[in-house]
Amino acid sequence: MANKHFTTNLMKTLLPLVDSLGCNEQELAFLAHAGGGPHHDLYLTLSTVPDVAKITDIMQWLLQKYSDRLSRIHFHSLTYHLIGVLPNKWGNTNSSVAAGTRIAGQQACILQDLTSDKVKLHTPKHIILDSETAHVFDPLRPVIHWVKENVHYYFSPVLVCKKPLKTVGLGDAISSTALMYSEFLL
């Protein structure tokens, strides 16, 4: 997605036709760059733990700009997943984001049962959700939900495989599993 002209055309052609979009940190940051969105230079300075507040700003911008049809964005990175949905369009989003994060660890480790000797959380204890909201992470309640300007956000940390055995196709597995657990409301 490194070609700005191609990405701009893709945004104009495809995004008005889809209900849901799944992307990683590089893809989301480049959409902001190509479309002139917030944090348009983020693609140049991505870190291991993308700034949640900046990611929500970009998701908010996309959901507002393409709100005629686009009503769900599933963002996934190595350390966390974040789903943003417009109200009354999608259900079961808590389970959806949790399922996406679980499949990431399971597929990377090639294990069904994830144990602490095989996976690790890289989520910081204090999470800045947006410019107005911070949250202290509670491992007993790993999915965090908040609303910003009429968009519902669902955050879940990833159990990162300590010694990954498979990484090819993880993004596709993550997005498709989370979508499978989502409920599209007509």
Side-chain angles (χ1 to χ4, degrees):
M1 215 193 257
N3 183 304
K4 185 176 179 179
H5 178 72
F6 174 79
T7 304
T8 302
N9 284 336
L10 179 84
M11 291 173 74
K12 289 177 184 174
T13 306
L14 186 63
L15 290 185
L17 303 176
V18 299
D19 296 295
S20 179
L21 176 68
C23 51
N24 64 31
E25 61 272 33
Q26 288 132 352
E27 294 160 343
L28 189 69
F30 204 74
L31 288 173
H33 171 69
H39 313 292
H40 60 276
D41 58 351
L42 181 64
Y43 78 103
L44 297 170
T45 61
L46 286 170
S47 67
T48 306
V49 182
D51 184 312
V52 176
K54 289 179 181 178
I55 297 300
T56 58
D57 287 347
I58 297 169
M59 291 171 67
Q60 190 86 27
W61 168 73
L62 284 169
L63 286 166
Q64 289 172 345
K65 184 171 181 159
Y66 297 99
S67 64
D68 288 344
R69 180 89 188 246
L70 183 65
S71 56
R72 177 186 180 274
I73 298 175
H74 179 181
F75 168 80
H76 53 88
S77 69
L78 176 66
T79 55
Y80 70 88
H81 293 191
L82 181 63
I83 296 179
V85 295
L86 295 181
N88 305 316
K89 300 279 187 168
W90 295 88
N92 203 37
T93 311
N94 264 348
S95 296
S96 171
V97 73
T101 57
R102 184 178 61 242
I103 198 70
Q106 288 174 326
Q107 285 211 354
C109 288
I110 311 178
L111 288 171
Q112 285 301 308
D113 297 320
L114 300 174
T115 57
S116 61
D117 62 317
K118 302 289 184 192
V119 294
K120 181 180 179 182
L121 280 176
H122 289 278
T123 301
K125 182 82 172 156
H126 298 278
I127 304 164
I128 306 299
L129 302 177
D130 59 42
S131 61
E132 302 160 5
T133 312
H135 186 83
V136 176
F137 178 70
D138 178 359
L140 298 176
R141 295 180 169 268
V143 175
I144 302 166
H145 170 252
W146 75 100
V147 179
K148 177 184 172 188
E149 296 177 33
N150 208 32
V151 175
H152 291 254
Y153 290 98
Y154 300 82
F155 170 99
S156 182
V158 175
L159 292 169
V160 179
C161 187
K162 292 178 181 178
K163 295 182 181 176
L165 301 171
K166 179 184 177 187
T167 58
V168 174
L170 272 183
D172 295 333
I174 290 164
S175 291
S176 60
T177 300
L179 185 59
M180 181 178 74
Y181 278 82
S182 294
E183 181 183 355
F184 186 57
L185 308 172
L186 298 175

